[in-house]
């Protein structure tokens, strides 16, 4: 049985390694890591604008601070420059990352990805002026720079850079320059024909698709791929399934968050960006499931809501080594860093602790979802860093919702209650192990 389990685990590790190191997935993952500070900057602007500068809901509502309302334009500009250009930034970053993986030393693949993306989106907008619609040409509509077109941007970035790389390797398409010409000039000319061919192919495909189907490429991608994924992830079963997959990989020794990041990041970061824009505009907040929801209710103390595990060990743990590891892990755990717990206790490949490690975030996520649906806790409207301590992250991410804080405290209490029985079981196995050791020693004597 043990050998079969080892083979099964080894096969899963091999599959996970292959998926995690697939170059397109690596490019997407690294791009969203780079993009995270941009989203947090936008979140900072939204938070300051609504909680400080807003004359109705912020500090500026008080007469002595009313002058602060005049500064709203600053935060509005930051918000527009960050959250409303996520797709543009993602396209460039994915192009750069994939270009590096493909061996390009310059940043040009990022620019190539952006040019290709813009070539397939419409650049006309219909505006209502004096009761009639007028067409404005040569403009970029907001829906093509904000998260709504994120998946199209990702696909075009990947395809265009792969095409560009393929054509760049063809000697017949490379312009040879004398050795006396500077290397940067040589590189620019070497990219000329591959660039022309790549953009022409991408733009022609977008043109042909619209002519043959009557719809634009961005509409097809959004309706066929992005919208169904968003709908699935916005429902409780979808987010619980995603969390289950992550936790399952953790317990067999594979970094679960890294495995699901290519799916999780575009969807959950996109949904919080939509919420932040709605919050800044004073509109109804649409999305329950966002990146902060994941962190606030399903990742308290780190993967597996291990803040509950630490508390359970301190309350009932009898194993001295386990208590020692818990003491060392308490500090990082406050900031949602729990590798010391996962590797030290350990949780990985531990048949006793694997069960609560998997089910706890599913239960706390359900609690958070129900509390949000019934209106007890507000929806997340601000992206906060994942290392923000519990309680603080619940309050900040929801724009000051005490209901969210109380809900998170309930989730922490639930996690402790879930882990406690398994700590008792671990204590019992310790006593049995010690008894077996003593019996063995007696027989030897």
């Amino acid at each position: 049985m043990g050998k079969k389990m080892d083979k099964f685990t080894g096969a899963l590790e091999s599959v996970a390694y292959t998926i995690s190191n697939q170059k397109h997935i690596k490019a997407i993952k690294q791009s969203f890591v780079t993009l995270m500070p941009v989203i947090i900057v936008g979140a900072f602007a939204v938070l300051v604008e609504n909680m400080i500068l807003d004359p109705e809901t912020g500090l500026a509502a008080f007469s002595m601070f009313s002058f602060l309302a005049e500064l709203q334009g600053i935060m509005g500009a930051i918000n527009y420059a960050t959250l409303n250009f996520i797709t543009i930034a993602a396209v460039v970053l994915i192009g750069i990352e994939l270009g590096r993986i493909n061996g390009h030393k310059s940043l040009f693949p990022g620019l190539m990805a952006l040019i290709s993306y813009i070539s397939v989106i419409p650049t006309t907008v219909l505006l209502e002026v004096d009761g009639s619609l007028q067409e404005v040409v040569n403009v970029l509509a907001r829906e093509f720079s904000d998260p709504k077109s994120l998946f199209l941007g990702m696909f075009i970035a990947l395809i265009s850079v792969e095409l560009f790389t393929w054509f760049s390797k063809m000697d017949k398409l490379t312009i040879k320059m004398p050795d006396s010409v500077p290397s940067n000039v040589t590189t620019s000319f070497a990219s000329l024909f591959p660039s022309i061919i790549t953009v022409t192919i991408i733009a022609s495909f977008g043109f042909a698709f619209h002519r043959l189907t009557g719809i634009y490429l961005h509409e097809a991608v959004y309706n066929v791929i992005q919208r169904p994924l968003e709908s699935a992830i916005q429902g409780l079963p979808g987010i619980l399934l995603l969390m289950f997959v992550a936790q399952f990989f953790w317990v067999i020794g594979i970094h679960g968050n890294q495995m699901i990041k290519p799916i999780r990041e575009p969807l959950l970061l996109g949904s919080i960006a939509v919420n932040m824009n709605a919050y800044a505009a004073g509109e109804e907040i649409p999305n329950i499931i966002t990146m902060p929801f994941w962190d606030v209710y399903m990742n308290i103390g780190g993967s597996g809501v291990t803040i509950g595990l630490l508390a359970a060990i301190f309350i009932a743990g009898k194993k001295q080594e386990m208590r020692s590891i818990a003491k060392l892990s308490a500090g990082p755990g406050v900031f949602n860093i729990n590798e010391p717990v996962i590797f030290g206790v350990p949780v990985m490949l531990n048949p006793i602790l694997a069960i609560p490690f998997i089910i706890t975030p599913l239960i706390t996520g359900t609690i958070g979802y129900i509390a949000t649906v019934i209106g007890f806790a507000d929806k997340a409207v601000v992206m906060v860093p994942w290392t923000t301590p519990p309680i603080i992250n619940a309050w900040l991410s929801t724009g000051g919702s005490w209901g969210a804080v109380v809900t998170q405290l309930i989730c922490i209490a639930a996690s402790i209650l879930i882990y406690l029985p398994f700590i008792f079981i671990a204590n019992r196995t310790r006593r049995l192990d010690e008894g077996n050791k003593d019996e063995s020693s007696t027989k030897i004597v």
Side-chain angles (χ1 to χ4, degrees), residues 359-370:
I359 66 173
T360 300
L362 306 184
I363 294 173
T364 57
T366 301
I367 294 171
Y369 186 85
I370 293 173

Side-chain angles (χ1 to χ4, degrees), residues 69 146 191 266 331 358 419:
D146 71 10
S191 302
I358 291 175
Y419 274 108

Side-chain angles (χ1 to χ4, degrees), residues 16 51-52 54 69 84-85 210 245 251 263 352 407 428:
M51 300 188 71
I52 298 178
D54 193 287
N84 288 315
F85 281 86
H210 179 249
V245 172
V251 298
I263 299 173
I352 297 174
T407 302
R428 185 170 179 274

Side-chain angles (χ1 to χ4, degrees), residues 48-220:
V48 171
E49 183 176 2
N50 284 273
M51 300 188 71
I52 298 178
L53 306 181
D54 193 287
E56 295 181 1
T57 61
L59 190 62
F62 298 96
S63 58
M64 63 182 299
F65 296 108
S66 58
F67 68 93
L68 292 173
E70 300 295 327
L71 304 177
Q72 276 189 293
I74 299 174
M75 295 299 118
I78 296 173
N79 175 36
Y80 182 79
T82 52
L83 302 180
N84 288 315
F85 281 86
I86 287 179
T87 293
I88 299 297
V91 168
V92 174
L93 290 172
I94 291 172
I96 291 173
E97 291 297 332
L98 184 57
R100 286 174 177 169
I101 294 171
N102 286 346
H104 296 281
K105 296 180 180 180
S106 73
L107 302 179
F108 183 74
L111 184 58
M112 169 58 55
L114 180 60
I115 294 170
S116 299
Y117 171 66
I118 294 177
S119 74
V120 300
I121 59 177
T123 53
T124 60
V125 176
L126 290 176
L127 296 178
E128 186 175 347
V129 180
D130 298 329
S132 62
L133 292 177
Q134 294 187 10
E135 186 177 77
V136 181
V137 298
N138 298 327
V139 294
L140 182 66
R142 176 174 167 176
E143 65 179 306
F144 303 122
S145 59
D146 71 10
K148 187 174 182 180
S149 297
L150 184 56
F151 272 70
L152 173 65
M154 291 166 55
F155 292 145
I156 294 298
L158 296 174
I159 294 169
S160 62
V161 173
E162 288 293 1
L163 283 174
F164 174 71
T165 301
W166 188 51
F167 290 125
S168 296
K169 294 178 179 179
M170 296 182 180
D171 291 335
K172 294 181 179 180
L173 298 177
T174 303
I175 299 177
K176 306 293 184 181
M177 302 294 290
D179 294 338
S180 59
V181 176
S183 60
N184 59 333
V185 177
T186 301
T187 301
S188 298
F189 272 90
S191 302
L192 184 58
F193 284 129
S195 302
I196 293 173
I197 297 172
T198 298
V199 174
T200 301
I201 291 174
I202 298 291
S204 298
F205 178 77
F207 178 82
F209 187 89
H210 179 249
R211 283 298 182 92
L212 293 173
T213 64
I215 62 174
Y216 286 102
L217 195 57
H218 75 275
E219 296 173 309

Side-chain angles (χ1 to χ4, degrees), residues 192-439:
L192 184 58
F193 284 129
S195 302
I196 293 173
I197 297 172
T198 298
V199 174
T200 301
I201 291 174
I202 298 291
S204 298
F205 178 77
F207 178 82
F209 187 89
H210 179 249
R211 283 298 182 92
L212 293 173
T213 64
I215 62 174
Y216 286 102
L217 195 57
H218 75 275
E219 296 173 309
V221 171
Y222 182 75
N223 291 326
V224 175
I225 300 175
Q226 188 168 343
R227 179 181 286 176
L229 285 173
E230 289 176 346
S231 298
I233 212 70
Q234 280 303 311
L236 183 60
I239 194 66
L240 294 184
L241 177 61
L242 195 63
M243 176 58 78
F244 175 82
V245 172
Q247 298 306 100
F248 175 76
F249 276 112
W250 269 118
V251 298
I252 63 171
I254 301 169
H255 198 300
N257 288 339
Q258 292 299 321
M259 289 302 302
I260 65 167
K261 185 174 284 189
I263 299 173
R264 185 188 67 181
E265 305 292 86
L267 294 172
L268 298 191
L269 290 178
S271 63
I272 187 59
V274 170
N275 280 11
M276 286 192 284
N277 282 327
Y279 182 56
E283 300 170 353
E284 183 180 354
I285 310 303
N287 299 316
I288 293 177
I289 307 297
T290 60
M291 200 66 234
F293 180 93
W294 179 282
D295 293 333
V296 169
Y297 299 123
M298 306 178 76
N299 203 54
I300 314 169
S303 297
V305 195
T306 48
I307 192 171
L309 173 58
L310 293 176
I313 292 172
F314 289 133
I315 293 170
K318 300 299 183 182
K319 289 185 176 181
Q320 189 56 46
E321 63 272 21
M322 186 180 287
R323 294 183 66 87
S324 299
I325 291 169
K327 290 177 182 178
L328 294 173
S329 305
V334 172
F335 299 96
N336 306 312
I337 299 170
N338 68 341
E339 276 79 1
V341 180
I342 293 176
F343 294 104
V345 169
V347 174
M348 283 183 173
L349 304 176
N350 186 327
I352 297 174
L353 294 179
I355 297 172
F357 185 78
I358 291 175
I359 66 173
T360 300
L362 306 184
I363 294 173
T364 57
T366 301
I367 294 171
Y369 186 85
I370 293 173
T372 308
V373 167
I374 65 176
F376 180 74
D378 290 349
K379 298 173 183 176
V381 292
V382 176
M383 179 67 201
V384 296
W386 64 271
T387 51
T388 305
I391 310 303
I392 297 174
N393 66 0
W395 191 78
L396 286 177
S397 64
T398 54
S401 170
W402 289 108
V405 172
V406 173
T407 302
Q408 190 184 56
L409 288 172
I410 293 171
C411 290
I412 293 173
S415 69
I416 296 172
L417 293 175
I418 295 169
Y419 274 108
L420 269 174
F422 294 91
I423 295 300
F424 291 138
I425 294 173
N427 292 339
R428 185 170 179 274
T429 58
R430 168 180 172 268
R431 290 195 297 270
L432 290 174
D433 290 342
E434 289 179 349
N436 291 334
K437 287 181 181 178
D438 292 341
E439 185 177 340

